Structure formats: C-alpha cells, structure tokens
Amino acid sequence: MSLSTLISLLSLISLLNLSTSTNITQVLSTHPEYSQFNAYLSQTKLADEINTRQTITVLAVTNGALAPLAGKPLSVIKNVLSLHVLLDYFDAKKLHDIPDGSTLSTTLYQTTGNAQNKIGFVNITDLKGGKVGFGSGIPGSKLDSSYSKEIKQVPYNFSVVEISTPIIVPEILDAPSPTSDLNITGLLEKAGCKTFASLLLNTGVLKVYQSSITKGLTVFAPNDEAFKKKGVPDLSKLTNAELVTLLQYHALPSYSPIGSLKSSKDPISTIATNGAGKFDLSVGVAGDSVSLKTGLGDSRIASTVIDSTPFVVFTVDNVLVPKGLTGDSPFPAPTPGPAEAPAPADDSPSPAPSAKAPSPVLSPPAPPSESPNEGPADAPGSESSEDSKADKAAAGEIAPGKIVVFVTVSVGVIVAALVS
C-alpha cells in the first residue's frame, strides 16, 4: 500500500471519528445531569447550529441551575443559550492561561444581528486562586458564573465545559417573544418582498401561516425582483387552487433555522404537501451558502428576516416552482430530447392503448439487432431494440457481460488492512 493511500485512509478514519464526537446531543446524552440543557438545545434547534460548526465551545449548565429559564418562551431560551456557545475553542488549560488574564469571546448570539453594546460577547477572566469567571460582555457586568470542569474535548475544534450558573443578561431574559404580536406582511414588505406579501393577503394563505406559527413555521419569501425573472409562471393564468399551492410551497410546517437546513439530508415536506400532491424541497449546501432545490431549479437563501423560535423567515432569490402543479404546466420544463417524427396522416383508427404503434415511415432506420435470432427492430407489434433495453432496465435486469459490485467497508476493516 502506497504512503499516499495510507494517509488518505487515516484521514478518512479521523473524519469519521470527528463527526461522531462533535454531535452535541450525543455527547450530553451520556450525562443525565445536563438533560434539560440538552433538551433546550434540541427544542430551539441550537444543536443543529452547533453541529455544523467546526470551532466551538459549549458552556453547559446542570439541570438544577436552569431554574431562571423555567416558563420562558423558547425564543427567549434560545437567545440565552446562544450566549453559552462560544465561537472559539477553550479547554481547561486555555481557560487558565488567558493572555492578560481576561478576554471577550464572540458567541452565537452575536451572529443573529440583534446584539448591541457587547451583548453578544462573554467575558472570561482568570480570577485569583485559579478560578475562572464568566459573565456578560456588557461593560460593568458581574462575573456571576465560574468554570467547573471539562466534559468533552476534540482539541482545537470542539469543547464542552461545565459552568456553575447560566450567564444571564436581563435585556435578553426579560424580552417579550417577538411572535406574540407579529405583523408578517409588515416584515415581508420591509424586507423587499411586497409582491409575496400581497399574494399571501389576497389568497388567504396568510391566515394559514399565522395559524401555524405556534407549532413551528419556516417561510421562504421571494423578493420582488424574483417575480420579474424569466421562467416565472404567469400568475394570472393559474387557478386559485394552484396559486394557493404555489404560496404554500414556500413554507415548511416546522421551525427550521439555517443550521437545521444545513443538516437536512432527505427531502423536506412543505405546507403544500398532501395526499394528492407530494410538493417537497431538497436542500443544497456549498460552504455557508444554502439553496433550495425544487426539481425545476434552485433558489439561494439570501438573508434572514426574523429567527424567533418557533418561527423563521428567509428571503430567497427565485420563486420556488414545484413540479407537477398543473397538468399543462406553464412552468419551465426539463430540456426535451430529440423530437419524434410525426405519425402518418390517415383516417385509420388509432391502435389500442396496449398495442405498440408501428414506426413512422420517415423515422431513421433502427440499428441492426445484436443477435441473428432477433426479428426486425421496429416490426409492427414488436418492441424495438432500444425499447427492450429500457424495459429490462426498468425491470431491474442487468445486461449480460455487466458486473455490478457493492462493497461495504467498515473502519475496523480499514484498520485491520493497515495493520496487516
């Protein structure tokens, strides 16, 4: 085995181990004293955000210390816990060896765009006697919490440590839930989505959105320029039912912030999905860019209008057009293949649905058959050579001379191979 192959295999094993050990939910699940903290991370979807980042430190708090959060809205709990996710790596050694004895660390809350006056920072200070204190980054704030112990470390990438009490900022803890008196159309209009807001209001879909907020709702709002792009359907030609389906296709019946979307592997059901129509979306991720795939095209998530658990609104660059919305859909279709020659014009009755029509006279000659025992490729009532191949492929048959090999390799097998 070459040295380059050995290095590649070792790198693969390291990546597999890293992906397993950096799942915050799995890490905390083995420590029942953090079960409530872990539950909050899952309910607010912060766990998804944590798992998509590479350099991070989670400041965990025991169940008994979380009393100040009891009864608070999930949106408030999410903001408080966002202060407990540092966008830097800290272990015990680094905490006790802070340059100049004190530092301000950026938190996940700082990335929301709602942080002002250092509210999105945490002050970490090495106190006398080896004690490390934690507090809000707002000048003059007390260091009410302190370092307790290490829980999990993947050096320089992922760390979980326990602190004695949660870091409380009154401006966050006592803030009312933004969804308590929410003006959805006002938010959309301010974000440059006036056309989308007007459609929601005129069709009554706005009421569907409003009734879904408390259970969880994610909205993808096309900006006004998106409705002017080539390929967007003529809305005036859609029936009311089709227009409602189109608008419902722009929302998920669940709370899915950007971290949750990044971790999505399977198609996601929209509000438009029902027994009669499977209107799903797929998610594509390229670095920090997230796009939505409809089957007819992609639309990039451009910005976050509001993210307040359990409600989030994103703007998107293109109108999301689902496949199969109408029978003779005005929506862009996949590129067609070579056009078939027209059938001969005569007055003879059409063949029965189960019978195969003979090839038109003007069609190009079919390729010669591969076996001398085969009849003419396009004889009336028989299948062509290409049709036969397609039917065999559809039936799951494998052509002679073709070998398909499925190989499953575990990490243990790779290691055994390396040792031998």
Side-chain angles (χ1 to χ4, degrees):
M1 181 181 293
S2 66
L3 179 60
S4 60
T5 302
L6 177 61
I7 294 174
S8 298
L9 290 173
L10 289 174
S11 299
L12 174 61
I13 295 172
S14 298
L15 287 174
L16 290 173
N17 290 333
L18 179 61
S19 63
T20 301
S21 59
T22 56
N23 185 306
I24 185 61
T25 303
Q26 291 182 6
V27 169
L28 294 179
S29 65
T30 60
H31 300 273
E33 64 270 30
Y34 310 116
S35 60
Q36 185 59 64
F37 183 83
N38 200 15
Y40 281 151
L41 292 182
S42 297
Q43 292 167 15
T44 60
K45 305 291 184 171
L46 278 174
D48 294 333
E49 182 70 23
I50 292 169
N51 293 339
T52 60
R53 292 182 174 267
Q54 293 183 349
T55 305
I56 208 158
T57 299
V58 179
L59 307 177
V61 183
T62 60
N63 298 335
L66 288 173
L69 301 184
K72 295 292 183 180
L74 276 180
S75 58
V76 173
I77 293 175
K78 180 177 182 178
N79 288 338
V80 172
L81 295 190
S82 294
L83 286 174
H84 294 68
V85 183
L86 311 182
L87 305 185
D88 197 355
Y89 176 82
F90 289 94
D91 53 18
K93 184 178 184 303
K94 186 174 179 180
L95 288 173
H96 288 92
D97 191 23
I98 297 175
D100 301 324
S102 184
T103 186
L104 286 179
S105 180
T106 308
T107 70
L108 204 55
Y109 185 71
Q110 182 68 21
T111 67
T112 64
N114 300 321
Q116 298 178 356
N117 191 29
K118 301 290 185 180
I119 198 173
F121 292 84
V122 163
N123 180 356
I124 307 175
T125 300
D126 190 1
L127 303 175
K128 295 180 180 180
K131 186 177 180 180
V132 179
F134 292 81
S136 170
I138 299 175
S141 298
K142 296 180 179 180
L143 300 174
D144 292 329
S145 186
S146 60
Y147 168 77
S148 299
K149 64 179 180 179
E150 291 182 331
I151 300 172
K152 177 73 177 182
Q153 279 73 42
V154 179
Y156 314 114
N157 286 292
F158 178 75
S159 176
V160 185
V161 301
E162 179 190 310
I163 59 176
S164 59
T165 58
I167 300 169
I168 300 298
V169 179
E171 292 89 335
I172 295 177
L173 186 65
D174 300 329
S177 173
T179 58
S180 58
D181 187 21
L182 190 62
N183 183 346
I184 296 179
T185 54
L187 286 173
L188 293 174
E189 290 173 357
K190 187 176 180 180
C193 305
K194 293 182 179 180
T195 302
F196 185 66
S198 177
L199 290 170
L200 292 178
L201 186 61
N202 294 337
T203 58
V205 174
L206 178 63
K207 293 182 179 179
V208 178
Y209 281 15
Q210 290 172 328
S211 65
S212 303
I213 288 179
T214 56
K215 296 181 181 179
L217 181 68
T218 300
V219 177
F220 305 112
N223 56 41
D224 291 337
E225 292 300 317
F227 285 93
K228 302 175 184 178
K229 292 184 178 180
K230 183 178 180 181
V232 175
D234 185 347
L235 302 183
S236 65
K237 293 183 179 180
L238 297 181
T239 66
N240 185 65
E242 290 167 348
L243 184 55
V244 166
T245 298
L246 178 67
L247 297 175
Q248 291 182 341
Y249 188 61
H250 286 74
L252 311 180
S254 60
Y255 173 64
S256 297
I258 203 72
S260 299
L261 292 174
K262 285 182 177 181
S263 61
S264 299
K265 304 299 181 184
D266 300 321
I268 305 173
S269 295
T270 65
I271 291 181
T273 301
N274 53 49
K278 190 174 179 61
F279 298 109
D280 293 345
L281 289 169
S282 296
V283 179
V285 180
D288 289 332
S289 178
V290 178
S291 59
L292 305 171
K293 301 176 181 295
T294 68
L296 294 177
D298 297 354
S299 184
R300 183 182 66 89
I301 292 180
S303 65
T304 302
V305 178
I306 184 174
D307 183 353
S308 179
T309 312
F311 178 57
V312 59
V313 178
F314 300 106
T315 62
V316 292
D317 290 340
N318 297 307
V319 177
L320 304 176
V321 182
K323 296 177 65 175
L325 183 62
T326 62
D328 52 347
S329 175
F331 308 119
T335 305
E340 295 183 0
D346 57 34
D347 298 329
S348 59
S350 300
S354 60
K356 182 177 179 67
S359 301
V361 175
L362 298 179
S363 297
S369 60
E370 297 181 3
S371 169
N373 295 328
E374 294 179 356
D378 287 327
S382 67
E383 295 182 343
S384 68
S385 173
E386 293 302 319
D387 290 339
S388 178
K389 291 178 181 178
D391 292 342
K392 289 179 180 180
E397 297 180 14
I398 301 176
K402 303 294 183 181
I403 300 176
V404 180
V405 180
F406 299 95
V407 180
T408 302
V409 181
S410 68
V411 173
V413 173
I414 296 176
V415 174
L418 293 175
V419 173
S420 60

